[in-house]
Amino acid sequence: MSAVLTPTSRAGAPAGFDINRFLVRFGLFFLLAALVIVFTWLRPSFASAGNINDMLRSASISAIMFLGLTWIIAAGEIDVSFMSVAALSTMIVAGLVSAGAGWPLASLVALLAGLLVGLLNGLLVALMGLPALVITIATGGLAGSIAAAIGKGTSIPMATTGFAGALVDANLGLVPVLAVLVALLYAGAWMLQDRTTFGHYIYAMEQNRRAVVEAGIPAGKLLFLLYVVSAVLSSVAGVLLAADLSSGQPYIGSSYFIDGLTAVLLGGMALKMGKPNMVGTLTGVLLLAVLLSGAALLGWTDSQRQIVRAALLIAGVALVVWTRRKNRVRI
């Protein structure tokens, strides 16, 4: 009968300090701190109150968009429609507001559109068992095409930003109110993922879906729910983006594609060694916000920033694959 070999059983003595494991688990936090120090040293304006406020505001909107994606990837699936859903929401809000509708109605319609995309993803992937990558590419393309059609390929400006604009602009000292709300949201999500059977089921689905089903856990319904949550949260982020930009942007989703995957995959190395988690995703979002803000202050071109983002995504994927292989070779 095979047995799991631990460092203690192999060496016959307690395992020593594993520097590689320590760096993988906490390296993202060290990198974030290092970037803050370096950018502050190179450009003191980086640490100004206005810049910190802007970074936290943009990071908060991104964090809302990527929360649902974290759970889907943790469950062993993928969703590449999240950014297109956000873009669609910005265009629905802008189109309705510019036509004379109020912000509450426009926001409700945008959220309903996101809900429909989530239901469609959940139906096709979770209940019908179709490939998640193919399906979410298709639904993302559909959402993006509708977004472009609403504005006939151009953005739609808005004269007012309503209650969403007031929320985005509100501050508690240096900290945006939105950042406080997102911190509370992630705290609740962390509790669900790390302290309840809900989170255990998510991780179990990635490890062995068949075993989860055989144990009587409704894996299909759970995955269906995750796709719905991801799409609705992306719509919420889209509404906030529309308020933040005072316009609907049909193609803004493309800028969030790499950021979303990078934040979740690179963040998945933090603390849990290859398992996407709330703390890691939030740290990854802050890392990207700091990097983009610092790069802009240093005068980096857009192509240079894209290269760095792509390199971070590659690093995240490579680290996840490496840690999972290392954890499986223990028999």
Side-chain angles (χ1 to χ4, degrees):
M1 181 176 179
S2 61
V4 175
L5 296 179
T6 64
T8 300
S9 63
R10 285 194 299 264
F17 177 69
D18 190 338
I19 184 63
N20 291 330
R21 185 179 180 85
F22 177 82
L23 289 176
V24 170
R25 291 187 65 195
F26 299 101
L28 192 65
F29 303 107
F30 294 141
L31 179 59
L32 174 60
L35 285 176
V36 171
I37 294 172
V38 169
F39 285 137
T40 301
W41 175 59
L42 294 175
R43 289 291 186 273
S45 59
F46 175 84
S48 66
N51 193 54
I52 292 174
N53 188 275
D54 289 341
M55 283 192 295
L56 290 176
R57 181 178 293 107
S58 63
S60 297
I61 296 175
S62 298
I64 294 173
M65 194 186 306
F66 305 156
L67 192 155
L69 178 65
T70 302
W71 279 340
I72 289 177
I73 295 181
E77 293 292 352
I78 189 65
D79 180 8
V80 295
S81 66
F82 65 95
M83 67 287 183
S84 298
V85 173
L88 175 60
S89 294
T90 69
M91 293 301 291
I92 289 176
V93 168
L96 289 175
V97 170
S98 64
W103 263 87
L105 176 60
S107 300
L108 178 60
V109 174
L111 293 179
L112 288 175
L115 176 63
L116 288 176
V117 176
L119 290 172
L120 183 59
N121 283 338
L123 173 65
L124 297 177
V125 176
L127 301 185
M128 297 183 64
L130 299 179
L133 180 61
V134 175
I135 293 302
T136 56
I137 286 176
T139 55
L142 176 63
S145 298
I146 296 174
I150 291 174
K152 298 180 180 179
T154 61
S155 61
I156 301 177
M158 292 182 293
T160 62
T161 57
F163 73 92
L167 174 60
V168 169
D169 293 334
N171 295 305
L172 288 174
L174 293 178
V175 181
V177 170
L178 185 58
V180 176
L181 295 177
V182 168
L184 294 174
L185 175 64
Y186 265 71
W190 173 81
M191 287 291 294
L192 279 175
Q193 190 171 12
D194 280 39
R195 294 293 184 268
T196 68
T197 54
F198 171 81
H200 297 157
Y201 290 162
I202 290 177
Y203 286 133
M205 287 169 62
E206 188 277 329
Q207 293 172 352
N208 193 328
R209 181 76 58 84
R210 179 176 296 180
V212 169
V213 174
E214 291 177 351
I217 300 169
K221 293 181 180 179
L222 178 57
L223 186 59
F224 181 91
L225 175 63
L226 296 183
Y227 275 106
V228 171
V229 169
S230 178
V232 171
L233 288 176
S234 294
S235 289
V236 173
V239 172
L240 296 173
L241 270 174
D244 188 39
L245 300 173
S246 298
S247 64
Q249 300 289 336
Y251 305 115
I252 197 172
S254 59
S255 64
Y256 286 93
F257 175 62
I258 291 181
D259 286 356
L261 295 179
T262 301
V264 174
L265 292 175
L266 196 61
M269 303 312 304
L271 302 179
K272 290 192 175 291
M273 297 289 289
K275 296 180 179 180
N277 60 90
M278 292 299 115
V279 175
T281 295
L282 193 57
T283 305
V285 169
L286 290 173
L287 175 70
L288 289 169
V290 166
L291 179 63
L292 294 178
S293 177
L297 290 174
L298 291 176
W300 291 10
T301 64
D302 183 64
S303 59
Q304 289 173 324
R305 293 195 293 268
Q306 291 293 342
I307 290 172
V308 174
R309 292 154 107 177
L312 287 174
L313 177 56
I314 292 171
V317 173
L319 284 171
V320 167
V321 172
W322 174 73
T323 53
R324 288 182 177 177
R325 285 179 178 175
K326 185 175 181 180
N327 289 336
R328 286 169 182 168
V329 184
R330 300 180 59 178
I331 297 179

